[in-house]
Amino acid sequence: MRSNNLSQHFENTCDHVWSDNTAKNYRRTLKRARNYVIKETKFEGEPDTMTLETVDPEFLKNFVVKESVFADGRLKAASTVESFKNALIYYFRSNKLPIPTVLSEDLQMFITGTKNDIATLRKEGRYKLTEGKDAITFGEFSAICKAGVADKYIAGRLLASLCWNMNCRSETASNLNFNLISWSGDCLNINIPKEKSKQKGADRG
């Protein structure tokens, strides 16, 4: 039997599929959605007894629309808005419930419109080009690697290390192809045929 408690539901069905951060973000989004619906519908029962499938889907759509802007009216990144939609859709899908059209179709149209609005604002210079894509410093990268010492995070740590080092050599990385990548035991080899002729980097061979 499906639990009415959202946190327990995601502990049982979500954490083993998604990364820790994704599971936490989904739980946070669903909790906010539930609180929004309780407030808008003036629900008088215990919060944990209210399930999202029992309310008009328009309330869920309005929740995402409301969450698509900051308090000062600025638009949030489209990927952020899409994550709200994905959390709601996953709730219905994991409970084997039909996904409301307003979530699968109407919200997708809204997200597409948000992307177009952001593109227009960027063109006019009224939206940061790096919105939602701020670079991390070497110190932050080191912190990520240190946090990934546990065995269950080893894949993420290796990927972060690979991406960091490849980005530090972006010119070289842009010229890589499958012929230059190979396995040696449990090691991934990146073969770089073009090397510096001088170690100080004055010239390139």
Side-chain angles (χ1 to χ4, degrees):
M1 180 179 294
R2 176 170 41 82
S3 170
N4 287 331
N5 186 292
L6 290 177
S7 296
Q8 184 63 44
H9 168 69
F10 270 85
E11 287 174 4
N12 293 337
T13 64
C14 181
D15 287 347
H16 70 285
V17 177
W18 301 97
S19 69
D20 288 349
N21 284 339
T22 301
K24 289 177 182 177
N25 289 338
Y26 276 14
R27 281 197 297 269
R28 190 180 304 117
T29 296
L30 290 174
K31 183 176 181 180
R32 288 165 65 179
R34 182 178 59 182
N35 291 339
Y36 172 83
V37 171
I38 288 174
K39 179 180 178 181
E40 293 298 313
T41 61
K42 297 179 173 59
F43 183 77
E44 297 180 352
E46 289 295 324
D48 283 347
T49 65
M50 196 283 293
T51 55
L52 298 182
E53 70 270 20
T54 61
V55 303
D56 186 341
E58 284 292 332
F59 283 108
L60 302 181
K61 174 185 174 182
N62 293 339
F63 161 73
V64 176
V65 172
K66 175 180 176 294
E67 290 292 325
S68 67
V69 296
F70 291 103
D72 60 5
R74 290 182 298 116
L75 290 174
K76 293 182 180 178
S79 58
T80 301
V81 182
E82 195 149 18
S83 70
F84 297 145
K85 182 201 75 171
N86 291 341
L88 292 170
I89 286 180
Y90 184 79
Y91 174 84
F92 282 87
R93 184 171 293 157
S94 63
N95 282 289
K96 297 180 173 57
L97 296 167
I99 299 173
T101 302
V102 295
L103 297 183
S104 61
E105 297 181 11
D106 293 9
L107 272 184
Q108 190 55 51
M109 292 177 60
F110 172 75
I111 291 171
T112 299
T114 299
K115 291 179 179 178
N116 292 337
D117 291 341
I118 290 175
T120 300
L121 292 173
R122 281 176 172 167
K123 185 177 180 179
E124 296 173 352
R126 295 190 290 140
Y127 196 93
K128 288 196 309 179
L129 292 176
T130 58
E131 188 80 32
K133 299 180 180 179
D134 291 338
I136 65 172
T137 64
F138 181 72
E140 291 168 336
F141 164 70
S142 299
I144 291 174
C145 289
K146 290 178 180 178
V149 172
D151 289 344
K152 66 177 181 178
Y153 299 124
I154 190 64
R157 181 182 180 183
L158 292 175
L159 178 61
S161 297
L162 177 63
C163 290
W164 178 273
N165 284 282
M166 298 304 286
N167 278 319
C168 288
R169 298 164 177 80
S170 57
E171 181 181 348
T172 300
S174 66
N175 294 319
L176 292 179
N177 57 62
F178 284 116
N179 294 327
L180 302 176
I181 302 174
S182 61
W183 285 99
S184 177
D186 60 351
C187 298
L188 180 66
N189 295 328
I190 306 293
N191 301 300
I192 302 175
K194 187 176 181 181
E195 300 178 352
K196 295 179 181 178
S197 57
K198 297 183 179 179
Q199 289 302 309
K200 291 184 179 181
D203 299 309
R204 291 179 181 271

